[in-house]
């Protein structure tokens, strides 16, 4: 069972328990070119502000409804067609969009949202507090079958809407429309992450007209974002044009964006090389070693939002209690992350320094205990010997991966580093398919360590920490697949949730991460970089907090 970044198993993080390569491919999308969008033909006589930008994508797995978007292909398009209460800077800082303010009560269990004046959809329909209340209730209501429903579970009244045979018009009781500009939201429990969480794609508004025929609307959505849908030729292209009524922070600087829909990433990369595609947001594995040195293209390789680690389950022999703590620290010191990134990943990752990612609010390079991530064979052997004094080591340290994941070289690099530093038998453990590996992890039948990937829907520490390490997410109830349980960690996460100031909340999250550095429920490895390329004629290519191109800023 593979959980994509958009699977939303709870209201907290969405994450992936998967091989590193498999996760990257799903998020970025891969895809055979239609050949219908030659940038030279489209923009030869145009100015930068009127030129249409061509970018890669794959066919979205569902319609273009915000609450039903569960893949990155759909996310790329939907977030251009719609604007929400907030958006985020490249490094995860909150920026108000439709919202003028989002104000918590004394313990962050209730929020008052004030909207900006003059908000409207591209067809002139007004956007009010009632617009948001109806859109959120529609997405949360099980009778409407929206894939993003679980993200609303922190709002009061969510459970009452979980009858698939109930009224499709039933509303969340925790939403109170005070007036056209004011929406009061009452939560089930304190949640300091809520102002960030509303930046999730499922929280985007839809107009009143959408409910007349929601399926038809999903094919031809009317939004309030920087772009409008011009045409969707399924399996071929999705054409967007600027929305003249847009007044938010992401104003288009080009004449539109066309998503060319591929089924093979190699073809998309070849189109960039030949000038038939302006931007590609993922580099095929075959080109990772060379793409940064190719003439005629611009290469990009920068830190992104995807955290990579491996989990050593608490139940494995020699890995419980104090012995397990010492052995995890020893193994962490035994992994030469920088060398693996250079030799195996061709420099397309960044060594981990915490349990979040560089584009996330609160990301840190200076947490207490982070030195456990430093490669040091001498320290590794010392800690290993201390563990041996508790119980002598026996057996083989195994790190699992699936044969269909493309992780072979990565895992070999990790196990060879451990073997060389500690002088123990460390081996890759090959499982035939990703599906079988994910099932073994979920069912707790895997008798080995395993790779893990994590990326949150919103750039806030809660999205990385709560779902992956809190006791409530253990025992198959979330993504705490090592079944780590710490009262100290749980308390700090709860303390963070009660804060009404972001800086105060992040202080508690940092303390929680320092507990993780002592216990190492997972061994952090690196952050997968954004690897991308653009034609030499393309300008102003940048990437947002999700590692996706900032389409509205690209010109040529």
């Amino acid at each position: 069972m593979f959980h994509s970044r958009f699977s939303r198993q709870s209201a907290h993080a969405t994450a992936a328990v998967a091989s590193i390569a498999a996760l990257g491919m799903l998020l970025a999308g891969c895809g055979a070119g239609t050949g219908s969008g030659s940038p030279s033909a489209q923009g030869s006589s145009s100015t930068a502000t009127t030129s249409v930008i061509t970018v890669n994508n794959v066919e979205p797995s569902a319609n273009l409804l915000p609450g039903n978007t569960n893949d990155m292909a759909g996310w790329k398009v939907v977030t251009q067609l719609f604007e929400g209460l907030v958006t985020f800077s490249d490094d995860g800082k909150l920026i108000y969009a439709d919202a003028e303010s989002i104000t918590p009560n004394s313990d962050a269990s209730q929020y008052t949202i004030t909207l900006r004046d003059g908000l409207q959809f591209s067809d002139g329909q007004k956007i009010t507090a009632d617009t948001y209340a109806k859109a959120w209730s529609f997405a949360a209501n099980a009778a409407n079958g929206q894939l993003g429903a679980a993200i609303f579970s922190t709002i009061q009244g969510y459970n009452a809407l979980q009858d698939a045979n109930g009224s499709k018009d039933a509303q969340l009781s925790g939403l109170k429309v005070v007036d056209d500009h004011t929406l009061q939201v009452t939560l089930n429990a304190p949640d300091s992450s809520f102002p960030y969480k509303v930046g999730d794609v499922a929280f985007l508004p839809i107009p009143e007209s959408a409910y007349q025929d929601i399926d038809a609307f999903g094919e031809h959505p009317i939004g309030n974002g920087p772009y409008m849908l011009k045409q969707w030729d399924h399996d071929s292209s999705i054409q967007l044009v600027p929305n003249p009524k847009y007044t938010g922070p992401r104003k288009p600087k080009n004449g539109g964006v066309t998503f060319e829909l591929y089924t093979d990433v190699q073809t998309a990369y070849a189109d960039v090389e030949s000038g038939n595609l302006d931007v590609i947001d993922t580099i095929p594995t075959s080109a990772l070693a060379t793409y940064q040195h190719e003439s005629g293209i611009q290469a990009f390789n920068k830190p992104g939002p995807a955290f990579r680690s491996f989990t050593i389950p608490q139940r494995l022999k020699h890995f419980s209690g104090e012995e397990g703590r010492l052995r995890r620290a020893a193994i962490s010191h035994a992994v030469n992350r920088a060398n693996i990134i250079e030799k195996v990943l061709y420099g397309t990752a960044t060594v981990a320094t915490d349990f979040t990612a560089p584009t996330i609010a609160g990301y840190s390079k200076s947490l207490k205990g982070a030195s456990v991530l430093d490669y040091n064979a001498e320290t590794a052997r010392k800690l290993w010997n201390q563990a041996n004094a508790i119980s002598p080591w026996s057996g083989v340290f195994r790190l699992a991966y699936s044969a269909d994941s493309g992780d072979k070289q990565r895992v070999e690099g990790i196990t060879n580093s451990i073997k060389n530093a500690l002088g123990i038998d460390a081996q890759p453990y090959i499982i035939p398919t990703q599906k079988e590996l994910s099932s073994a992890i979920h069912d707790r039948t895997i008798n080995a360590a395993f790779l893990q990937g994590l990326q949150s829907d919103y750039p806030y520490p809660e999205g990385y920490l709560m779902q992956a390490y809190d006791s409530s997410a253990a025992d198959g109830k979330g993504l705490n697949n090592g079944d780590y349980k710490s009262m100290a960690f749980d308390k700090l996460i709860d303390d963070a949730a009660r804060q009404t100031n972001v800086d105060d909340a992040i202080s508690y999250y940092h303390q929680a991460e320092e507990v993780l550095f002592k216990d190492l429920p997972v061994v952090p490895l690196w952050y997968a970089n954004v690897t991308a390329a653009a034609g030499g004629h393309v300008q102003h290519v940048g990437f947002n907090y999700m590692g996706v191109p900032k389409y509205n800023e690209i010109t040529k």
Side-chain angles (χ1 to χ4, degrees), residues 346-417:
Y346 305 107
T348 59
T350 301
V351 172
T353 60
D354 75 347
F355 292 81
T356 62
T359 60
I360 304 307
Y363 161 70
S364 178
K365 296 181 179 180
S366 58
L367 295 176
K368 183 180 178 181
S371 59
V372 75
L373 304 182
D374 296 340
Y375 174 66
N376 189 318
E378 183 179 349
T379 300
R381 287 190 293 270
K382 181 179 178 182
L383 290 165
W384 195 258
N385 288 334
Q386 289 176 17
N388 284 340
I390 297 173
S391 176
W393 171 257
S394 61
V396 179
F397 179 78
R398 301 189 302 170
L399 183 58
Y401 74 100
S402 64
D404 61 357
S405 67
D407 283 332
K408 182 175 185 289
Q409 289 181 308
R410 295 172 175 86
V411 173
E412 287 178 348
I414 294 166
T415 54
N416 285 337
S417 187

Side-chain angles (χ1 to χ4, degrees), residues 452-490:
Q452 185 161 299
L454 181 67
Q455 181 171 339
S456 174
D457 284 359
Y458 44 93
Y460 196 71
E462 186 258 10
Y464 287 76
L465 303 178
M466 168 74 189
Q467 177 77 327
Y469 313 112
D470 194 85
S471 297
S472 65
D475 305 318
K477 298 174 184 175
L479 295 173
N480 183 350
N481 292 295
D483 295 326
Y484 170 70
K485 295 173 184 176
S486 164
M487 291 178 63
F489 176 85
D490 293 351

Side-chain angles (χ1 to χ4, degrees), residues 133-161:
K134 284 187 176 180
W136 294 2
S137 295
F138 174 86
N141 192 335
N144 298 316
Q146 298 297 284
L147 295 170
I151 193 73
F152 298 95
S153 65
T154 52
I155 299 177
Q156 208 169 82
Y158 173 82
N159 290 338
L161 297 187

Side-chain angles (χ1 to χ4, degrees), residues 196-207:
Y196 277 76
K197 197 171 290 181
V198 297
D200 183 271
V201 65
F203 282 89
L204 294 170
I206 57 176

